[in-house]
Amino acid sequence: TRVTEWCFNIPFYDTLSFMLNICDKIKYRYFDDKSVLWEDTYIENIRVRIYDPVNATKTPQKNAKALILYFHGGGFFFGSVGSHDTMNYYLSKYSGTKIIAVDYHLSPTVHYPVAVNQSIRVTRYILQHPQKYNIDPTRVFLAGDSAGANLVIVIERYLHKELIYPIRAEILLYPLLQMVNYMLPSYQKYLKYEILSVVTEDFLRNVPNYYLNATFDGSQLFKNQHLSKQDLNKFYSVINKQWLNQSNIYKRSYDIDKLLPDDYYLMSTTSESHPDTSKLFHDDISPLLSSSNIISQTPSTFLVSCEYDTLQSDSLLYWERLKEAHVEVEYKHYQIFHGAMTFVDWPVAFPDAFSIIEDSAAFIRKKI
C-alpha cells in the first residue's frame, strides 16, 4: 500500500480500502456452512450487512430475535463490513444472534461527527422499526472493536435518554478510548515495535488528524508535547495515577520504575497546548475521560484488551473507571495483538482471535 503512495501519490488508506472491497467481493467464503444467512442492504442510506443465524434464539411470545449492532474498527479511516465479515459470521453463529454490521463513512473523506451521526441514525431507525427486522428491542447489544468500540460507547450515550428499552450490553474489543495521552505505559512499550501491532506511530498520528481534521505532528504527539502541563493535569484529574501501578497485568508486563520516571506525569515542554488539543478532550473523542456521572450510566460491559497492543493502557484504565462507578463489567485479557478480529480468515487465523469471538458470544448468550 505504501508503494502506491510513494509512486502515484495515492493515499495508503485509499489503497487499503480498495483492496478490502475487492477481496470482499471475490473471496471464497469457505467458512460459510449456511448456518448463518447474510445479505447487504441500506438503512438510512448507509450500507449494512445483516447476518441471520438459522437457529437464532427467539422470544417465544414475539418470535423475535436478539440483535447485535456491530461497528468495525480501523481508526475511523479504513475497514468495512467486508474486513470484519468472517468474524461477524462466527459471532452470529456462536451467539445465535442476529447481527447488523454498519458501514459508516470513513475519514478523511468525512470528519467527525459524520461517523457518529450516521451510526446513531442507523441504530435509531432499527430500534424504531423492530418488526421490520424481526428483532426484540429489549435484547439489543452494541459491539465494536477499536474505533468501532469508541462509536459503541458514544452511540449508547446519545440514545440513552430516548430509548424505551435500554441497550442490553456493550461489547468493547480492544477499544480506542482516548486521544489525549500518548505516553501511557503500553504506548511506551509497544509503539516502537511496529511488527507487534497494526497500531503504529503513523497509524496513530493519522487517527486524530483524519477524524478531527487536525494537524498534529507525530514527533510532538508521542512525547505529549501537544499538551500543556495544565492539560496533562486535566487528564490526571480524571484518571487515578495509582491505577497504572496497581494492575496485575502491569506488574507482569512492565518495568514500572523504568517506564514511569518521577516526572512522568508532567512530561511536557510546551507552555501552551496545540490549537487542536481541546478537540481531544470531547466526550465523543475520549470517552475514557467522561464524568463519573456519565460513566455510571454505562450498561453492562464486556471489555477486552490485548497483550501486544499500544492501546492496552486505555482498556485497563476504563476497566478501573467502570468498577469505580459500580458498572457491571466482565474484563478479559488475551495474548494477541490489536486488530485481531481481522485475523480469523484464510490465510492467517489465530486461536486467540477465535477465543475473543467465542467469549464474546458466551457473554451475549448469558445476557439474552
Side-chain angles (χ1 to χ4, degrees):
T1 59
R2 289 300 186 187
V3 172
T4 60
E5 188 168 71
W6 294 331
C7 297
F8 305 106
N9 200 31
I10 300 174
F12 79 93
Y13 50 83
D14 281 349
T15 306
L16 274 175
S17 296
F18 176 78
M19 291 171 61
L20 286 171
N21 288 332
I22 291 297
C23 290
D24 184 49
K25 292 177 181 178
I26 66 174
K27 76 177 181 181
Y28 173 63
R29 297 171 61 86
Y30 73 93
F31 55 86
D32 190 349
D33 59 5
K34 309 305 178 184
S35 62
V36 177
L37 307 177
W38 66 278
E39 65 171 335
D40 286 348
T41 186
Y42 286 82
I43 299 176
E44 292 287 280
N45 297 316
I46 304 299
R47 184 169 76 125
V48 300
R49 182 164 293 178
I50 301 176
Y51 302 82
D52 198 351
V54 175
N55 297 316
T57 304
K58 300 178 181 179
T59 304
Q61 295 83 359
K62 300 180 180 179
N63 201 36
K65 302 174 182 179
L67 173 70
I68 302 167
L69 275 153
Y70 195 90
F71 302 87
H72 68 80
F76 302 109
F77 65 88
F78 79 92
S80 66
V81 295
S83 64
H84 288 63
D85 176 54
T86 308
M87 69 84 50
N88 272 318
Y89 186 95
Y90 282 121
L91 181 59
S92 180
K93 177 180 177 178
Y94 295 160
S95 66
T97 306
K98 191 169 192 172
I99 292 179
I100 299 181
V102 182
D103 216 11
Y104 56 89
H105 292 177
L106 303 175
S107 61
T109 304
V110 299
H111 304 291
Y112 168 83
V114 173
V116 171
N117 291 340
Q118 289 178 340
S119 300
I120 289 172
R121 288 207 320 270
V122 170
T123 303
R124 181 186 288 119
Y125 184 87
I126 293 169
L127 296 179
Q128 289 176 345
H129 302 84
Q131 294 85 1
K132 183 175 181 178
Y133 300 99
N134 190 31
I135 63 159
D136 179 355
T138 69
R139 298 186 299 151
V140 174
F141 300 80
L142 300 181
D145 64 298
S146 193
N150 177 292
L151 288 175
V152 164
I153 297 170
V154 173
I155 293 163
E156 192 281 330
R157 290 178 179 179
Y158 273 103
L159 295 179
H160 181 81
K161 293 183 179 180
E162 67 181 74
L163 293 178
I164 298 175
Y165 304 106
I167 295 298
R168 182 63 64 93
E170 295 178 355
I171 294 86
L172 310 177
L173 310 180
Y174 44 85
L176 171 63
L177 293 164
Q178 62 92 22
M179 300 187 199
V180 174
N181 190 342
Y182 292 86
M183 291 193 69
L184 293 170
S186 60
Y187 288 72
Q188 292 189 59
K189 182 168 186 179
Y190 291 121
L191 199 54
K192 57 187 175 183
Y193 299 118
E194 297 194 357
I195 195 172
L196 288 175
S197 176
V198 297
V199 183
T200 62
E201 286 191 359
D202 190 38
F203 180 98
L204 210 55
R205 181 187 69 250
N206 288 334
V207 174
N209 285 344
Y210 292 165
Y211 191 48
L212 302 175
N213 196 23
T215 58
F216 295 107
D217 182 84
S219 62
Q220 294 179 328
L221 202 64
F222 303 123
K223 294 180 181 179
N224 275 354
Q225 291 176 355
H226 62 298
L227 296 172
S228 66
K229 291 184 179 180
Q230 181 180 2
D231 274 336
L232 199 56
N233 278 324
K234 181 179 178 181
F235 179 92
Y236 285 110
S237 70
V238 178
I239 298 301
N240 186 336
K241 300 172 189 177
Q242 294 303 312
W243 291 339
L244 294 171
N245 297 315
Q246 291 172 352
S247 168
N248 289 331
I249 294 175
Y250 275 117
K251 291 175 183 177
R252 185 179 73 245
S253 303
Y254 307 132
D255 180 347
I256 294 296
D257 293 334
K258 180 179 179 181
L259 288 171
L260 302 181
D262 292 340
D263 60 348
Y264 164 75
Y265 297 107
L266 290 178
M267 270 190 180
S268 176
T269 60
T270 58
S271 57
E272 295 184 2
S273 290
H274 186 284
D276 291 322
T277 294
S278 60
K279 300 176 182 178
L280 306 180
F281 281 93
H282 194 285
D283 282 346
D284 293 0
I285 309 305
S286 297
L288 170 67
L289 304 180
S290 297
S291 70
S292 297
N293 181 55
I294 292 175
I295 295 285
S296 68
Q297 298 178 58
T298 304
S300 178
T301 300
F302 182 73
L303 177 62
V304 163
S305 68
C306 298
E307 178 68 24
Y308 307 107
D309 184 5
T310 302
L311 307 186
Q312 183 196 128
S313 295
D314 302 352
S315 293
L316 289 163
L317 293 173
Y318 195 57
W319 179 39
E320 295 290 351
R321 292 217 67 195
L322 292 176
K323 290 190 297 181
E324 184 182 58
H326 305 291
V327 173
E328 181 186 15
V329 55
E330 182 175 332
Y331 173 73
K332 285 187 176 291
H333 184 71
Y334 298 84
Q335 300 296 314
I336 198 169
F337 49 85
H338 191 99
M341 290 300 89
T342 56
F343 290 91
V344 291
D345 202 350
W346 184 90
V348 182
F350 292 95
D352 265 16
F354 279 98
S355 294
I356 294 174
I357 297 174
E358 291 166 354
D359 291 345
S360 299
F363 174 83
I364 291 164
R365 290 196 303 270
K366 286 190 300 184
K367 293 295 180 181
I368 288 177

